[in-house]
Amino acid sequence: MAAPSLARGMLVRTGLTGPFPRSEALVAATRDLDRGRTTPEAVEAIYAVSEGEVLALEHRLGLDTVTAGYLRPSDLFRPFAETWEGFTVGPLTRWFETNTFYRQPILHAPPVRVPGAFAARLPPPLRAEPTRARAILPGPYTFAGLLDNRSGETEPALIHRLGRLLGEEARELRAAGFSSVQFTEPLLVVRPPEGPRAEAVVAGYREIRSALNGGTSIVWTYGADAGPAYPLLERLPVSVVGVDLADTDPEGIPEGRGGAGLGLGVIDPRTTLAEDPAEVARLVRALYERRRPPEIWLGGGMPLDLLPYEPATRKVEVLAAVREALAAGGRP
Amino acid sequence: MTDRKLFPAQEIGSLAKPRWQILAQRGEPLDARARAELSAADGRLSFAGPLAPVRDALLDGRSREVGPDAVRDLAALYFLRYLEEAGLDRVYDGEARRIEMYEYPIRQMHGFRFLGHVRSFDAKYYLKAAVTDEVRLERPYHVEEFDFVRAHARAEPKLPITGPYTLADWSYNEYYLARQAGWKGRSARRAAQRDFVVDLARRAIRPTLAALIEHGSRVIQIDEPAAGTHPDEADLVVEGFNAATDGLDAEFIMHICFSNYRDLLPTLLEAKRCRQWAWEFANRDSNDHDGYEVLRALRDYGDSREVGLGVLDVHRDTVETPERVAERIGRAAKHLGDPGRIWVNPDCGLRTRSLEVARAKLGAMVEGAALARAAYENPRR
């Protein structure tokens, strides 16, 4: 991973936190493939070009972690639901408060991980640049909570088991040279767990931390105000916890010292209105002063594929501009 | 409630466009496959009737000479007969003239700018616009389309139109959000969305509905598939619906799909002029999950409106058996407590399925409704 920017005492890292939109060329190609008007080989070539374009954008803007866009997976769970044993792919289900849908994984028996299956589905350019890459997986709580559990296993047991299995994925990624692994966990703030579920989440992330062996573990949330979930978020044994400022009341982020890095979703893909970098920088610095985290990680809140390609590109440029504004001295 | 037969069948939305329509609208001559499809379809349905010269011109390779409007007329006639032949009691034209349910209405309004495609799921996308100025209707839409349907339909026409909340939710809100001061967080977004929905309802949808009613439209389905996206905005769905239908006299239906309906209740019940809820159920119904159980909530709230019961999963090619459809209807009737309020329909538009699969599903639906009807009318059989 590249060295973080030092912005007036803050260590600031930037990076995309979810899939980037498909380019209009890729939209046309995948549509044509769906309708039998082109070949998988032709679409594969466009995927390769598109991944290269996103990666080039991430490099040009100096983002600290890169993703190559995660353009291929149909949803966050499909790489697992289609490859791990115990799953089938179920009905279309709404993805939180968006007009996008995922196919709900149906779990018929305790899941069994298939080694190498997820890594094989990572964007090919990432495998060539693993130290700067951000691998993005579902978090165990969101995975367990959004699948249709017909396995007979209780939800807390399943959360813990998925933590262990996802930890094994992280171990495999770490061995392949990946240094940053993000676990996407909107459900942690949309439906904060309590009691045994909350304990299972913490236990699951202990498994992940152990498996990551010094790598950076990121929990990224969005979709609701993170304030009520903070008591649990602060217990997670991870490197960074990200919250979406489009949904989170900044005043509800508690004061603190040290602990995990503070991730902030500062660009909102639900609107094409560009954020004001100076205004965002002021907010980030105020939150930094209040919480004094070891690092600030800036990214999108919800995934940027809620936008068309061009507006998403402009939004990512805002991310870089915020970093510059912080370096120039955004004041609380 | 009415003297209608039990479990009448209705369509719910768009159908896939046949190859001959796509090629002919582009002005391209039909290839052998498209010619064969057109000939076979007309042989089976005898739909061309007054448009036989258009059909003949297409079969002769003279698409350009015919022009796209006449092709759309022929396609609309085809879909009317296709749905009527399937045995539906309420029909429309398969939305043969529409691009889809968002882009077309937005293009009839002032204040929007299209920005590009956004993925909905898998390889399904839609073109998305931003509202950049105050919404204003350029001209009422769907009116000529309805005139054609009314002139040619043998079954009762039911016109679908996208609702104000969905048009707002599927757009980027620039103009109304920019009017909000300060950080554009949740409360600013909500206030801006309310302004947007109400403007759409009052300035665009209501005048369009009024024009359609003036032209004789009696059954109008207001599509709000986005209603379940933000359950805490159910009040905005209702406010938009009530503003759009304010003072209008027609049989209004609200179609919602792929949502958790319980989250929208009881707020949704404040939709004053809604006579029927047309919801998706089959997608979530399986051997070990009762997708229709939510109907109990309507009974618990004392709601006595009709229900348009989704009995066909529109996202899978597997054709439901008539027995499966009948079993679903029977189960739903028990939950609802009144079989007389049930219409049957697909979960949503069948446009993602081939016309062959869609026809087989519709046939199974009509047959299943007949089985369920027979079971109610002759309970001892």
Side-chain angles (χ1 to χ4, degrees):
Chain A
M1 189 171 13
S5 309
L6 192 63
R8 293 177 59 88
M10 281 188 285
L11 285 172
V12 178
R13 294 185 189 274
T14 50
L16 300 182
T17 57
F20 200 72
R22 293 175 174 175
S23 66
E24 293 295 327
L26 189 52
V27 166
T30 49
R31 268 182 161 169
D32 284 349
L33 183 64
D34 209 35
R35 296 167 184 173
R37 295 178 188 157
T38 188
T39 63
E41 294 74 21
V43 178
E44 176 57 34
I46 297 174
Y47 268 123
V49 169
S50 299
E51 286 168 339
E53 287 171 349
V54 178
L55 196 60
L57 174 70
E58 293 174 304
H59 281 149
R60 176 171 67 78
L61 296 175
L63 304 188
D64 298 281
T65 59
V66 295
T67 66
Y70 285 93
L71 305 174
R72 296 166 196 255
S74 293
D75 58 57
L76 184 63
F77 305 123
R78 209 77 67 89
F80 304 95
E82 288 179 346
T83 60
W84 285 9
E85 294 170 15
F87 284 104
T88 55
V89 176
L92 278 178
T93 309
R94 188 178 298 283
W95 184 249
F96 296 98
E97 294 191 3
T98 70
N99 187 36
T100 61
F101 297 83
Y102 70 102
R103 289 205 182 272
Q104 186 180 38
I106 301 173
L107 185 63
H108 301 275
V112 177
R113 177 178 165 266
V114 175
F118 173 70
R121 290 189 174 209
L122 284 170
L126 283 193
R127 298 202 290 269
E129 196 180 358
T131 55
R132 195 170 173 182
R134 181 187 298 219
I136 298 179
L137 291 75
Y141 178 63
T142 296
F143 201 170
L146 296 189
L147 57 75
D148 181 354
N149 182 10
R150 303 177 187 176
S151 71
E153 198 159 35
T154 65
E155 192 180 354
L158 182 59
I159 293 166
H160 194 172
R161 183 190 293 275
L162 287 170
R164 183 162 49 74
L165 296 175
L166 292 166
E168 287 173 19
E169 293 290 355
R171 189 193 313 277
E172 193 172 285
L173 291 165
R174 189 83 178 108
F178 282 76
S179 55
S180 299
V181 182
Q182 174 184 307
F183 298 90
T184 302
E185 283 278 28
L187 205 59
L188 273 181
V189 295
V190 171
R191 204 166 66 210
E194 297 176 345
R197 287 181 180 80
E199 297 312 310
V201 171
V202 175
Y205 277 101
R206 280 201 201 102
E207 302 266 12
I208 286 169
R209 178 181 62 180
S210 167
L212 253 177
N213 190 27
T216 301
S217 52
I218 304 164
V219 165
W220 203 263
T221 69
Y222 57 78
D225 187 345
Y230 248 96
L232 174 64
L233 296 179
E234 290 189 308
R235 291 180 59 207
L236 298 181
V238 295
S239 315
V240 180
V241 174
V243 301
D244 182 1
L245 287 181
D247 280 321
T248 297
D249 177 2
E251 299 297 320
I253 297 177
E255 294 183 8
R257 292 275 161 184
L262 177 60
L264 296 172
V266 294
I267 49 179
D268 181 6
R270 285 166 290 189
T271 172
T272 41
L273 274 186
E275 288 78 5
D276 174 0
E279 184 182 14
V280 174
R282 280 193 294 276
L283 184 57
V284 170
R285 181 160 285 280
L287 289 169
Y288 173 76
E289 297 292 345
R290 181 189 304 168
R291 207 162 161 80
R292 287 283 173 181
E295 293 180 331
I296 293 273
W297 288 61
L298 302 180
M302 297 191 103
L304 287 182
D305 67 350
L306 296 177
L307 290 163
Y309 187 83
E310 287 303 327
T313 301
R314 289 197 296 276
K315 286 272 188 174
V316 183
E317 288 168 352
V318 169
L319 199 58
V322 170
R323 186 191 54 214
E324 297 307 314
L326 283 168
R331 297 197 177 282
Chain B
M1 177 168 286
T2 69
D3 56 0
R4 285 193 177 110
K5 67 185 180 188
L6 276 179
F7 314 129
Q10 60 186 0
E11 62 81 50
I12 207 81
S14 58
L15 291 163
K17 291 178 173 48
R19 182 174 179 79
W20 57 263
Q21 182 190 357
I22 294 167
L23 293 177
Q25 269 182 214
R26 290 187 203 141
E28 295 175 18
L30 305 194
D31 58 17
R33 194 176 116 206
R35 274 201 310 275
E37 284 177 2
L38 177 55
S39 295
D42 196 42
R44 191 165 63 84
L45 299 173
S46 302
F47 68 86
L51 295 177
V54 176
R55 173 202 61 199
D56 294 343
L58 296 185
L59 292 172
D60 284 351
R62 293 180 281 122
S63 299
R64 195 176 296 277
E65 181 186 311
V66 166
D69 288 341
V71 174
R72 291 188 189 100
D73 283 350
L74 187 64
L77 212 44
Y78 163 64
F79 282 120
L80 283 172
R81 299 296 170 259
Y82 172 100
L83 294 169
E84 288 163 351
E85 189 267 345
L88 272 62
D89 301 284
R90 275 180 178 163
V91 298
Y92 205 59
D93 68 352
E95 301 185 17
R97 301 166 198 277
R98 304 186 190 182
I99 304 166
E100 42 69 86
M101 65 183 297
Y102 169 76
E103 182 181 344
Y104 180 83
I106 292 295
R107 289 201 186 280
Q108 315 310 313
M109 300 174 198
H110 164 86
F112 290 88
R113 185 164 52 92
F114 280 93
L115 299 174
H117 286 92
V118 175
R119 185 158 53 145
S120 184
F121 62 95
D122 296 345
K124 307 298 180 202
Y125 308 86
Y126 68 104
L127 195 58
K128 192 161 172 174
V131 61
T132 57
D133 198 359
E134 197 166 56
V135 173
R136 191 179 70 237
L137 183 65
E138 300 277 7
R139 66 183 186 95
Y141 49 95
H142 298 336
V143 176
E144 291 165 3
E145 169 190 287
F146 175 75
D147 285 343
F148 185 91
V149 169
R150 188 179 182 216
H152 294 93
R154 294 166 185 158
E156 182 180 31
K158 172 169 76 69
L159 178 137
I161 183 169
T162 311
Y165 181 81
T166 293
L167 291 178
D169 187 65
W170 291 0
S171 303
Y172 297 108
N173 190 343
E174 291 191 6
Y175 174 75
Y176 297 94
L177 187 58
R179 298 198 309 190
Q180 298 291 319
W183 182 252
K184 307 296 189 282
R186 188 166 275 253
S187 61
R189 287 204 309 273
R190 183 184 163 83
Q193 198 69 348
R194 183 193 172 277
D195 292 346
F196 188 14
V197 170
V198 171
D199 260 12
L200 272 165
R202 288 183 182 151
R203 293 166 174 263
I205 310 294
R206 191 188 177 285
T208 296
L209 292 175
L212 287 162
I213 292 168
E214 177 76 22
H215 280 245
S217 185
R218 297 301 311 149
V219 184
I220 300 177
Q221 172 183 301
I222 297 183
D223 293 325
E224 290 287 16
T229 312
H230 312 281
D232 62 343
E233 291 183 356
D235 58 324
L236 301 190
V237 178
V238 169
E239 192 169 357
F241 188 93
N242 287 341
T245 58
D246 186 28
L248 299 179
D249 180 22
E251 194 171 321
F252 290 110
I253 295 170
M254 192 192 300
H255 169 55
I256 301 176
C257 50
F258 307 106
S259 301
N260 186 346
Y261 304 109
R262 279 188 194 281
D263 289 349
L264 305 177
L265 298 175
T267 308
L268 211 56
L269 306 181
E270 300 299 317
K272 293 177 195 163
R273 281 166 289 279
C274 176
R275 176 162 168 166
Q276 180 188 118
W277 310 113
W279 293 351
E280 149 270 336
F281 300 95
N283 173 65
R284 66 188 73 196
D285 189 55
S286 62
N287 288 334
D288 48 7
H289 179 76
D290 183 354
Y292 297 85
E293 191 270 341
V294 68
L295 288 168
R296 284 182 178 274
L298 288 179
R299 188 171 68 177
D300 292 345
Y301 283 116
D303 191 78
S304 60
R305 283 174 257 213
E306 293 176 350
V307 170
L309 193 73
V311 293
L312 302 177
D313 184 348
V314 300
H315 289 299
R316 294 189 191 278
D317 275 342
T318 307
V319 177
E320 291 80 357
T321 63
E323 291 75 19
R324 180 66 162 153
V325 170
E327 185 275 327
R328 285 174 166 165
I329 295 169
R331 193 153 28 102
K334 281 182 187 153
H335 291 320
L336 199 60
D338 181 1
R341 284 158 46 205
I342 293 179
W343 284 71
V344 297
N345 43 253
D347 271 354
C348 191
L350 280 159
R351 69 178 283 176
T352 56
R353 306 273 65 86
S354 71
L355 288 168
E356 293 72 25
V357 169
R359 176 61 185 81
K361 280 177 172 270
L362 291 168
M365 179 177 83
V366 170
E367 206 177 322
L371 288 176
R373 192 178 309 123
Y376 269 89
E377 289 171 352
N378 305 291
R380 290 184 189 165
R381 275 171 48 180

